[in-house]
């Protein structure tokens, strides 16, 4: 029960804002749908890894969430760090994220 609640909180405060910020930036830049889909797929795949890291390191989760909300932490960098398999998708999206 506690694990489910904690995962929901991490999702609400960290993962959802991360995905929303990346999606907003890609959409505003007119990124091709294939790049948008690849990054979104990677973000969904990385969710369990991010939840695991956040539950193991609450300080990281808090500072990362606040950094994303304030704009001082790049969500694509968080995603690349959490899911190294997403680096190619993020590299393809990077011209649209700057």
């Amino acid at each position: 029960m506690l694990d489910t609640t904690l995962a929901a909180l991490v999702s609400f405060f960290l993962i959802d804002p991360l995905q929303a910020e990346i999606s907003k930036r890609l959409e505003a830049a007119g990124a091709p749908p294939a790049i948008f889909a690849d990054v979104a797929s990677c973000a969904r795949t990385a969710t369990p890894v991010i939840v695991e890291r956040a539950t193991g390191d609450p300080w990281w989760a808090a500072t990362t969430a606040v950094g994303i909300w304030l704009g001082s932490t790049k969500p694509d960098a968080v995603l690349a760090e959490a899911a190294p398999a997403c680096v190619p998708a993020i590299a393809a999206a990077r011209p649209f994220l700057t």
Side-chain angles (χ1 to χ4, degrees):
M1 170 89 172
L2 183 60
D3 290 341
T4 305
T5 303
L6 191 54
L9 288 172
V10 169
S11 180
F12 181 75
F13 287 108
L14 183 60
I15 296 168
D16 291 348
L18 180 135
Q19 290 177 333
E21 181 62 25
I22 290 174
S23 295
K24 181 177 82 174
R25 289 170 56 196
L26 287 174
E27 188 175 344
I35 289 177
F36 192 90
D38 286 348
V39 173
S41 175
C42 275
R44 283 190 301 278
T45 302
T47 296
V49 175
I50 294 171
V51 168
E52 184 178 324
R53 176 152 185 206
T55 56
D57 188 357
W59 179 252
W60 174 84
T63 57
T64 301
V66 170
I68 289 171
W69 283 358
L70 294 176
S72 63
T73 300
K74 293 184 177 185
D76 51 307
V78 173
L79 184 57
E81 178 189 339
C86 289
V87 170
I90 294 166
R94 195 155 318 262
F96 301 98
L97 295 172
T98 56

